[in-house]
Amino acid sequence: MTATIAPLTERPAWKALEAHYQQVRQVHLKQLFADDPRRGERFTAEAAGLYLDYSKNRITGETLKLLVQLAEDSGLRARIDAMFRGEKINLTEKRAVLHVALRTPRGVSIRVDGQDVVPEVHAVLDKMSDFANRVRRGAWLGHTGKRMKNVINIGIGGSYLGPEMAYLALRPYSERAMTFRFVSNVDGANFTEATHGLDPGETLFVISSKTFTTLETMTNAQTARQWLIQGLGREDAVAKHFVAVSTNAREVQKFGIDTANMFGFWDWVGGRYSMDSAIGLSTMLAVGPENFREMLAGFHAMDEHFRTAPFEQNLPALLGLLTVWYNNFFGAQTVGIMPYTAYLARFPAYLQQLQMESNGKHVDLETRRPVSYETGPVIWGEPGTDGQHSFYQLIHQGTKLIPCDLIGFCQPVSPLARHHDLLMANLFAQAEALAFGKTEEELTAEGSPAFQTPFRVCEGNRPTNVILAESLTPRSLGSLVALYEHNVFTQGAIWNIDSFDQWGVELGKVLAKRIIPELESASDPGLNHDSSTNALIRRYRRLRTGAQG
Ligand code: F6P
C-alpha cells in the first residue's frame, strides 16, 4: 500500500502544530473575526451541493496550512488513491474498502483481485429496482394474494442504522400508503411493537445481515418466521414474505429463503458503510428506485470531490483535520452533531456507528503497537432546536470544549415556511452565540443585575462547523453521508489506524454466547466467571422465575 511513514507525533507537521497550538490556544474567535473582516467568506468550501462554513473554528490561516501539511505528511492522498483503486487497505481483515464502488456510474471500472466490480454493483441495483417496483406497484403478492403494505427490516448495526436513518430522512419521498418498521434489538419488545396491528398477509420481511449469523438478527428473523407461519397457517408462505440481503448465500439458503429472493453484496463493503448497497433495499422500497439512484448520485459527487479536490478546499478532509485539531491538540473528547431538521433525527445515531466503530481503535497499523495519542472522539447529538432546551447549556457555559457540527437546509421540506425561518434563525444564533458569547461588560451595559452577571457570562470561543444544503433531498442526503464517511477516513489516515475492522465488538459477542446456556439451563449451571458476573447471573435466574436458583 503506502510507503512507511514516520510515527504521527514525529511527523514535522505534528511538531509544528504542537508549537503553533501554544501560540493560538488562547486566541478568541472574536479576535480572529475582528482581524479579518472577510473570514466568514474565506473559511468556507462548497461541493456536491453542500456548503461548509468552518470560519467559527479556532484556527488561523497558519493552522490550516499546518493541518494540510499533516495530511500530506500522513500520506492521505496515497491512501485515498489506494481506496479508490480497490487495494486491500483494511489490513487486519485483508479486504478492499470499496463502498465508493457502490455509487460508481455504469461504465467506470474498479477492480478487486483483477475483477471489475462495477457491473456486479449495477446488476444488484437492477434486481433491487425490479423487486422494489413490483412491490410498490402491488405486483408482488403475498401468500394469500394480498399486496404488501408493510415492510419490516430486520437487521442491526450497519444493517439497520443507515436504512432507518435514510427512511426517516426521506419520508416526504416515501410511499405513504405503505408502513415501514425496523427491528434491530434482540429485546422481544422491539419485534412485538413492530408487528403490532399488522396483517401477516400484507407484511414483507427484509432480513438484512452481511454475515447472516448475527445473534440478534437471526433470533428476530426466526421469530418473524413463526409469526408469519402462525398468522397464515402455512410454512410455504415464507417464500412470498421473506427476502434476504446478505453476502452469505449459504446461510440464507439454510434459513429457508430462496436465493432468487436474495440481494447480494460483497466483503469489501463494511457494515457501517453499506446503506447504499443492497442493505438499502428497505430505503428503495420506501422511496422508489429513482430516488435511491439520486441518493447514489449525491454520494458519488462527494466521492469525486474527495478524490480530486485539494485538501484546502476538500470538505471531508477539512472536517477530518479539524476533528484531529480539537481531539489531539485541544484535548476535546467529543463531537456534537446537531441536525436542524427533525427528518435527520437518527443521523447522530447513524454517525455514532460510522465514526466510533471505525475510529475507536488504539493500535498503529504500521508498528502494531498501541498508539501514544488520542484517536476517535465520542460522537453524539440530537436535532436542534430540541437540544438547545436540554444540553446546549453545557456547551455554552460548561468546562468542556465540545466542537459541534450544525447541519441545516435553506428550503423547508414541510409546507410550514415560517417554522423553517424560526428553525434556521436558531441554527445561526447558536453558532453565533457559541463563537462570540457575551462579556461581563456587555451584560452590565444591558442592565444585568450585578449578583447575576458572573453567572450569565458566556465566554464564547466554542467552535462550530455549519453545513448548509439547499434542501433535504435524496441527493443531498447521499452527499452528506459521503461527507462523513470520508471525514472518518481522513481521521483514520492521520491516526494510522484500521478504520474498517471492529474486533472490539467480538469479545462481548463471544461472552454472551457462553452466558446464554447459563441463563437457560434448568439445573444449576455451575458458574465460573468473576464473582460479580456470577452473582448477577444468579440473581437474574432467581428473580426471573421467582424460584430459588
Ligand atoms: O456488532 C458489530 C457488527 O459487526 C457491525 O459492524 C455490523 O454492522 C453489525 O454487527 C451487523 O452485522 P451483520 O450485518 O453481519 O448482521
Side-chain angles (χ1 to χ4, degrees):
M1 203 185 63
T2 50
T4 304
I5 39 175
L8 177 57
T9 53
E10 285 165 32
R11 291 173 209 158
W14 183 272
K15 293 207 174 293
L17 277 163
E18 278 177 331
H20 174 71
Y21 168 69
Q22 295 305 330
Q23 288 161 6
V24 297
R25 69 193 181 94
Q26 307 280 22
V27 176
H28 201 288
L29 280 166
K30 255 187 220 170
Q31 189 61 50
L32 295 174
F33 273 85
D35 290 349
D36 176 3
R38 295 202 53 234
R39 183 179 170 91
E41 291 139 52
R42 281 204 314 118
F43 286 82
T44 63
E46 196 166 0
L50 301 183
Y51 174 79
L52 168 66
D53 173 358
Y54 62 100
S55 63
K56 295 191 186 81
N57 280 290
R58 293 167 69 171
I59 57 169
T60 63
E62 178 66 9
T63 323
L64 192 60
K65 206 178 93 200
L66 292 174
L67 286 170
V68 167
Q69 188 57 48
L70 180 66
E72 308 285 2
D73 287 2
S74 306
L76 177 60
R77 178 62 61 204
R79 282 194 194 235
I80 295 173
D81 292 345
M83 170 168 74
F84 278 85
R85 270 200 308 270
E87 284 182 31
K88 298 193 173 161
I89 59 168
N90 175 357
L91 294 184
T92 76
E93 296 182 316
K94 296 198 167 102
R95 284 178 182 165
V97 174
L98 265 183
H99 40 277
V100 293
L102 299 169
R103 50 266 189 157
T104 296
R106 277 182 220 273
V108 178
S109 117
I110 298 183
R111 294 185 178 275
V112 178
D113 293 330
Q115 198 188 333
D116 185 1
V117 297
V118 179
E120 295 176 56
V121 165
H122 284 276
V124 174
L125 276 172
D126 290 343
K127 183 174 168 180
M128 288 165 65
S129 304
D130 176 56
F131 176 70
N133 281 332
R134 283 200 283 156
V135 172
R136 287 163 60 85
R137 278 205 311 267
W140 175 282
L141 298 179
H143 183 72
T144 54
K146 293 184 183 172
R147 65 186 291 171
M148 296 292 116
K149 283 200 187 146
N150 318 309
V151 174
I152 301 187
N153 185 78
I154 296 183
I156 196 163
S159 301
Y160 150 64
L161 287 161
E164 187 190 51
M165 180 278 288
Y167 166 66
L168 293 175
L170 301 178
R171 276 201 82 171
Y173 294 83
S174 72
E175 176 51 67
R176 298 285 193 170
M178 292 171 76
T179 300
F180 291 85
R181 294 185 183 166
F182 298 83
V183 176
S184 57
N185 204 308
V186 76
D187 179 355
N190 203 178
F191 183 86
T192 306
E193 290 303 326
T195 47
H196 184 79
L198 301 187
D199 173 358
E202 298 176 337
T203 303
L204 176 72
F205 288 98
V206 179
I207 314 297
S208 299
S209 174
K210 181 174 171 182
T211 55
F212 231 71
T213 56
T214 304
L215 173 84
E216 293 90 337
T217 301
M218 290 303 107
T219 307
N220 282 319
Q222 289 296 354
T223 302
R225 192 191 163 94
Q226 283 155 20
W227 179 83
L228 187 96
I229 294 170
Q230 251 166 34
L232 298 183
R234 294 192 50 145
E235 195 135 332
D236 56 358
V238 169
K240 286 284 174 202
H241 294 264
F242 277 74
V243 296
V245 179
S246 187
T247 57
N248 192 343
R250 212 159 53 95
E251 287 297 325
V252 168
Q253 225 161 7
K254 261 212 271 175
F255 180 86
I257 297 177
D258 186 347
T259 46
N261 298 332
M262 168 180 158
F263 301 86
F265 60 114
W266 307 271
D267 72 355
W268 42 260
V269 183
R272 52 193 175 274
Y273 297 87
S274 66
M275 60 167 278
D276 49 339
S277 72
I279 289 291
L281 183 62
S282 59
T283 314
M284 191 191 270
L285 284 162
V287 304
E290 270 178 37
N291 283 319
F292 194 84
R293 284 177 195 269
E294 270 290 295
M295 184 178 80
L296 297 184
F299 271 100
H300 181 65
M302 186 56 76
D303 293 344
E304 282 305 283
H305 167 73
F306 183 54
R307 191 174 68 79
T308 58
F311 295 143
E312 296 81 354
Q313 290 149 31
N314 192 312
L315 273 69
L318 287 168
L319 285 186
L321 291 168
L322 286 166
T323 300
V324 171
W325 177 232
Y326 293 117
N327 189 68
N328 296 91
F329 296 91
F330 282 83
Q333 293 284 320
T334 81
V335 174
I337 307 286
M338 317 300 172
Y340 275 69
T341 166
Y343 287 114
L344 285 180
R346 294 293 282 159
F347 194 56
Y350 171 76
L351 289 188
Q352 277 178 331
Q353 188 200 12
L354 181 68
Q355 296 217 33
M356 292 165 80
E357 201 167 64
S358 295
N359 285 345
K361 310 288 165 62
H362 74 293
V363 178
D364 184 287
L365 267 176
E366 222 74 44
T367 62
R368 301 185 193 168
R369 299 172 74 91
V371 297
S372 61
Y373 42 83
E374 292 283 328
T375 61
V378 174
I379 302 297
W380 62 285
E382 277 289 324
T385 61
D386 293 280
Q388 291 173 207
H389 296 273
S390 160
F391 50 76
Y392 273 44
Q393 164 63 34
L394 187 148
I395 310 176
H396 282 286
Q397 283 193 311
T399 54
K400 295 179 172 55
L401 181 73
I402 304 179
C404 293
D405 292 354
L406 310 182
I407 303 166
F409 298 88
C410 298
Q411 293 164 17
V413 177
S414 119
L416 304 172
R418 170 123 207 287
H419 285 241
H420 199 67
D421 287 343
L422 302 186
L423 179 69
M424 293 304 289
N426 272 280
L427 185 162
F428 300 136
Q430 288 302 319
E432 194 174 13
L434 286 164
F436 303 109
K438 188 145 257 193
T439 62
E440 201 160 337
E441 296 72 50
E442 286 167 336
L443 284 160
T444 307
E446 285 171 14
S448 163
F451 78 96
Q452 256 181 10
T453 305
F455 301 96
R456 295 175 68 172
V457 169
C458 288
E459 279 174 351
N461 221 10
R462 268 61 169 173
T464 55
N465 291 305
V466 173
I467 298 166
L468 281 186
E470 211 170 279
S471 57
L472 180 54
T473 60
R475 188 178 275 258
S476 63
L477 180 68
S479 298
L480 190 63
V481 174
L483 170 69
Y484 279 93
E485 285 178 346
H486 301 318
N487 165 3
V488 169
F489 183 94
T490 301
Q491 297 165 29
I494 306 289
W495 293 322
N496 208 28
I497 52 178
D498 193 326
S499 300
F500 303 102
D501 61 13
Q502 56 284 317
W503 299 107
V505 293
E506 296 306 320
L507 178 60
K509 288 186 194 172
V510 171
L511 292 181
K513 281 209 174 111
R514 180 176 155 204
I515 294 174
I516 292 165
E518 295 172 345
L519 300 187
E520 290 183 331
S521 113
S523 57
D524 184 343
L527 300 173
N528 193 19
H529 301 271
D530 60 276
S531 60
S532 160
T533 310
N534 285 345
L536 289 168
I537 293 174
R538 279 200 206 98
R539 190 175 180 81
Y540 173 76
R541 283 177 57 90
R542 200 169 59 240
L543 294 182
R544 178 191 53 178
T545 59
Q548 296 299 305

